[in-house]
Amino acid sequence: MKFFIDTANLAQIQEANDLGILDGVTTNPSLMAKEGIKGHDAIMAHYKTICEMVDGPVSAEVLSTSFAEIVEEGKKLAAIHPNIVVKVPMIKDGIKAIKWFTDNGIKTNCTLVFSAGQAILAAKAGATFVSPFIGRIDDSSWDGVQLIEQIVNIYNSQGYMTEVLAASIRNPLHIVRCAEAGADVCTCPLSSILGLLKHPLTDLGLEQFLKDAKSMQ
Ligand code: G3P
């Protein structure tokens, strides 16, 4: 399973990248706004900076909702850097645009996916990635990881090439369960990635080893 970081924060991207285990980055308009990025030029420059920091796919989301506008915006985003993946919402014009991007060699990430039916449509349109939002599903008392399992099974049995990118990750256990469910990618906040490191027996064991090592000096 590939690890992407789900943020537009450059310091957090750098910290995850320095671990040596980062495969890519996803952003969305809310994450970009959180960093105080304003205006077309600043948005484009920020995506370029991220692409120069991380050697892997970087999802940049369109802000348009009509076919023609999504295509125009997506072409501009894709021109920023070869690693840009155009993130398109799961709406009717979005599916049309994903098919257009597929036919024109532009990679896509179909976002705001909450059902297996939506994931089938995204795959049929040729999306590079599909992003089911598992945390938001859990928030409404459904099982987000179960949706990942269902989509992985459908894609395997149908031979769809779209990669299942588990999004809206809220904790380290989500990452473990997505790996078990066969997700191709997990896009996580830095806190969830770092949470994977934690175990009290590791801390206690290391403390003892260091203590014993001192006694040998
Ligand atoms: O990037 C999309 C997704 O990961 C959003 O997560 O936490 O806002 O549901 P969240």
Side-chain angles (χ1 to χ4, degrees):
M1 186 174 74
K2 284 174 265 191
F3 271 50
F4 289 2
I5 187 163
D6 195 26
T7 185
N9 181 280
L10 299 181
Q12 291 188 14
I13 292 170
Q14 192 60 56
E15 189 174 340
N17 203 35
D18 287 347
L19 280 173
I21 51 96
L22 195 66
D23 300 299
V25 180
T26 53
T27 63
N28 64 38
S30 306
L31 294 171
M32 292 287 280
K34 203 170 151 193
E35 297 310 308
I37 301 151
K38 277 202 173 77
H40 174 266
D41 291 354
I43 293 171
M44 302 300 256
H46 200 77
Y47 287 137
K48 190 163 185 275
T49 305
I50 295 174
C51 288
E52 283 162 0
M53 289 169 74
V54 178
D55 185 19
V58 174
S59 287
E61 189 158 342
V62 295
L63 308 175
S64 316
T65 52
S66 74
F67 171 73
E69 285 172 335
I70 294 173
V71 166
E72 276 322 297
E73 204 186 333
K75 282 196 285 189
K76 284 181 194 144
L77 289 169
I80 297 173
H81 192 279
N83 285 351
I84 287 284
V85 173
V86 180
K87 204 171 177 187
V88 181
M90 166 44 74
I91 53 174
K92 195 172 168 192
D93 281 36
I95 287 297
K96 273 172 72 176
I98 288 171
K99 179 68 172 82
W100 189 93
F101 289 130
T102 305
D103 292 344
N104 287 276
I106 292 174
K107 290 190 173 137
T108 52
N109 175 356
C110 184
T111 189
L112 288 166
V113 166
F114 294 90
S115 76
Q118 292 179 326
I120 291 171
L121 265 184
K124 284 293 288 177
T128 316
F129 300 101
V130 66
S131 288
F133 278 26
I134 71 166
R136 293 191 194 184
I137 293 174
D138 286 1
D139 289 345
S140 47
S141 77
W142 292 55
D143 188 343
V145 176
Q146 225 168 55
L147 177 62
I148 299 293
E149 272 169 23
Q150 192 184 13
I151 298 171
V152 167
N153 286 336
I154 292 170
Y155 281 14
N156 285 344
S157 67
Q158 296 294 328
Y160 293 140
M161 299 305 289
T162 300
E163 292 190 48
V164 180
L165 190 165
S168 185
I169 297 292
R170 300 282 164 76
N171 54 59
L173 184 57
H174 267 157
I175 302 176
V176 173
R177 292 194 63 215
C178 284
E180 279 178 334
D184 299 289
V185 190
C186 209
T187 189
C188 325
L190 181 63
S191 57
S192 298
I193 299 175
L194 296 180
L196 292 172
L197 289 164
K198 287 186 196 155
H199 199 288
L201 289 179
T202 304
D203 298 340
L204 283 172
L206 181 62
E207 198 184 319
Q208 188 64 47
F209 284 158
L210 293 178
K211 209 169 135 197
D212 293 342
K214 242 186 191 162
S215 74
M216 296 187 296
Q217 283 164 8

